[in-house]
Amino acid sequence: WRPLEKPEDGLKELASWVKLCAALPDRARNGRNGAGGVTGSKSGEAFLRELCDAAVLPRLRAALVEWSARDPELGLRLVERCKDVLGPEVADEVAIQLVLPRLRSEVDGWDPRVDKASPHLWIHPWLAVLGRRLESLWAPIRFKLSSCLERWDPRDRSALEMLRPWQRVFDPGNWEPLMEKVLMRLERVVANLDVRPDGQDIEPIKDLLAWNGIAPADALARVLDIALFPQWHKALREWLRTPGCDFAEVLQWYQGWKALLQALKDQGPIQRQMAHGLELMKHFMAKGAEAVVEEEPPSPTAPDAEQSTGLPRHRAMSAEAGAEASRVAMEEVSLSLSDYLAQVSGEEGLLFRPKKAFHLGKQVYQFGSASIYVEKNLVYVAPKSGGQDAGEWRLVSMDELLRLGREAEKKPPGKR
């Protein structure tokens, strides 16, 4: 019997036995004690289980050893035939015991830096069969995707196609760190863009807008608010102060930017910054190149700790170069430390995920039984009792954090 190529050949031989096992419980119920009685006989379900354990699962296990997890169709057909003949419980057991470990092994060996075949092609077909049991694969996949983003150049659109299939599959704890890393890379590139009326390079802006629909629109608008518009307003003011400035050309330049940002036109930061630019143009057109501008361009407003994006706080870049460098460095360290904690928790079998809470404006995470937040390259843990806001959060070492995270795993003596 070759289960993957011809699953029906072996399963059809079992069909009559499955029917016999299904009839056994009725006979047992109608039996009598004494000679010839069947009271105490095994149920049909137990007989079917023994039959599958002895005759079916070993053969399927041997067949699936040779099966390539990147060819989901053969595996899915086998599981469907098992469900038709042996019932959903046996089919679930085949999927969980035999298929899921093969998928996990394939994910472990997948390297996105050299392997161009995205794992969604051979994992997503199993969503209808394995459902939430596939969630154990999300963290290792996210770690590998995140490592590719470390040196990612936003001009490379392949990252967009690499992440798109996971948008509606990953839970927030795995999706949001990826988006935060994408936003940081986009912000750096846009911040280095030289805004100039003559020969403007708009490719970095197009690279950012390509993420609309994948990254939250308000987060993308926030990046432009922080990284683009301060220098955009500066370039506009310098142009308007140029003697003999052609206001028709300025208006055309403005309309070009407005058309470029059309996809984000409903976002508050874009509306506010473009409106200020228009008022600035009107001011100079009315008073000439010597006009005095009293009102400064709108400053990027820092979002609340948990804004509508659902992402962790995406911090503003300061106008001062020193503060800007410091703040970017803080984010890099915090993000990499969060990734490290996620990896350690996975290795230790501890739950690591963002909680719906913030402390001092910092995202609070669950790390096993402990609640923590990350500040620069330091980890702070919540008080043991009285809630997150009661008592002092204290600085802990990695060893102590692991000990605190494991505490919930320990059972009281005498209990199982």
Side-chain angles (χ1 to χ4, degrees):
W1 179 34
R2 300 180 67 82
L4 287 171
E5 288 78 5
K6 297 182 179 180
E8 297 85 356
D9 287 357
L11 292 175
K12 68 182 180 182
E13 300 296 334
L14 293 168
S16 58
W17 292 96
V18 173
K19 293 179 181 179
L20 176 62
C21 290
L24 285 178
D26 291 335
R27 292 186 178 183
R29 254 194 308 274
N30 295 330
R32 304 190 309 269
N33 288 328
V38 295
T39 302
S41 298
K42 293 180 181 179
S43 67
E45 183 180 348
F47 274 120
L48 179 59
R49 174 67 61 184
E50 290 185 4
L51 178 63
C52 291
D53 289 345
V56 181
L57 293 182
R59 190 68 195 92
L60 298 185
R61 184 176 288 107
L64 288 171
V65 167
E66 302 174 358
W67 168 62
S68 171
R70 300 195 180 205
D71 185 5
E73 294 303 321
L74 290 177
L76 286 167
R77 185 176 65 173
L78 176 60
V79 172
E80 285 299 319
R81 296 298 180 272
C82 288
K83 182 178 180 180
D84 294 340
V85 176
L86 304 176
E89 292 185 1
V90 174
D92 286 346
E93 187 173 349
V94 170
I96 296 169
Q97 291 189 13
L98 306 183
V99 174
L100 186 57
R102 291 303 316 280
L103 294 176
R104 186 177 294 114
S105 176
E106 195 69 24
V107 168
D108 290 341
W110 174 65
D111 185 350
R113 295 170 297 181
V114 296
D115 194 339
K116 301 305 179 183
S118 173
H120 82 275
L121 297 173
W122 36 273
I123 290 180
H124 287 193
W126 289 100
L127 284 168
V129 176
L130 287 166
R132 297 192 64 178
R133 295 183 181 92
L134 287 171
E135 291 180 359
S136 62
L137 305 180
W138 299 164
I141 292 174
R142 193 253 292 182
F143 292 145
K144 297 190 177 197
L145 293 175
S146 181
S147 67
C148 289
L149 294 174
E150 289 292 343
R151 299 184 181 276
W152 168 62
D153 186 338
R155 292 175 295 182
D156 181 3
R157 299 284 180 90
S158 65
L160 184 65
E161 300 307 319
M162 181 175 64
L163 294 181
R164 190 193 303 273
W166 303 100
Q167 181 181 12
R168 303 189 184 282
V169 176
F170 277 175
D171 56 275
N174 283 301
W175 179 249
E176 291 172 1
L178 291 174
M179 287 298 98
E180 189 69 8
K181 185 165 286 189
V182 166
L183 292 171
M184 287 178 60
R185 299 294 295 182
L186 291 171
E187 182 179 316
R188 286 190 203 172
V189 172
V190 173
N192 291 326
L193 177 65
D194 185 17
V195 178
R196 44 186 298 171
D198 55 328
Q200 177 67 56
D201 178 15
I202 60 173
E203 288 305 314
I205 307 300
K206 288 183 176 180
D207 293 333
L208 177 142
L209 294 174
W211 286 89
N212 191 29
I214 305 299
D218 51 354
L220 294 174
R222 178 68 185 158
V223 169
L224 295 175
D225 192 31
I226 293 169
L228 171 68
F229 277 106
Q231 51 183 326
W232 186 88
H233 284 293
K234 179 181 178 182
L236 177 58
R237 288 194 303 272
E238 290 177 353
W239 191 7
L240 291 171
R241 288 194 177 104
T242 303
C245 173
D246 186 339
F247 293 120
E249 289 185 0
V250 177
L251 183 59
Q252 186 178 7
W253 180 80
Y254 173 88
Q255 290 173 337
W257 276 101
K258 187 175 180 180
L260 179 63
L261 303 178
Q262 180 70 16
L264 301 176
K265 65 182 178 63
D266 296 330
Q267 300 301 317
I270 305 299
Q271 293 177 344
R272 186 176 65 254
Q273 297 284 9
M274 295 301 291
H276 179 79
L278 186 59
E279 290 299 320
L280 189 65
M281 290 162 53
K282 291 179 180 179
H283 181 74
F284 274 89
M285 288 178 186
K287 298 187 178 181
E290 301 301 324
V292 177
V293 181
E294 297 181 356
E295 183 182 356
E296 291 296 320
S299 300
T301 54
D304 293 335
E306 189 172 6
Q307 215 176 13
S308 58
T309 60
L311 293 174
R313 177 179 301 200
H314 191 62
R315 292 180 176 82
M317 294 170 62
S318 172
E320 298 176 356
E324 174 183 351
S326 174
R327 195 166 294 181
V328 170
M330 285 171 55
E331 284 226 342
E332 287 180 341
V333 173
S334 295
L335 188 60
S336 61
L337 182 55
S338 297
D339 280 345
Y340 175 70
L341 291 174
Q343 185 172 2
V344 170
S345 66
E347 293 172 353
E348 298 292 331
L350 301 173
L351 184 62
F352 180 74
R353 64 181 181 185
K355 303 178 73 172
K356 294 182 179 180
F358 289 80
H359 183 75
L360 301 178
K362 306 292 183 183
Q363 172 70 57
V364 175
Y365 295 90
Q366 178 181 351
F367 186 91
S369 63
S371 293
I372 66 169
Y373 75 86
V374 176
E375 171 70 26
K376 295 184 180 180
N377 60 339
L378 305 175
V379 179
Y380 293 83
V381 67
K384 288 187 176 181
S385 60
Q388 294 177 178
D389 296 324
E392 292 290 332
W393 290 62
R394 60 189 183 87
L395 179 65
V396 293
S397 65
M398 196 64 205
D399 289 340
E400 185 176 5
L401 178 61
L402 284 173
R403 180 181 61 78
L404 294 172
R406 295 189 188 113
E407 284 186 352
E409 304 295 328
K410 299 178 180 179
K411 303 286 191 295
K415 293 186 179 181
R416 300 182 63 184

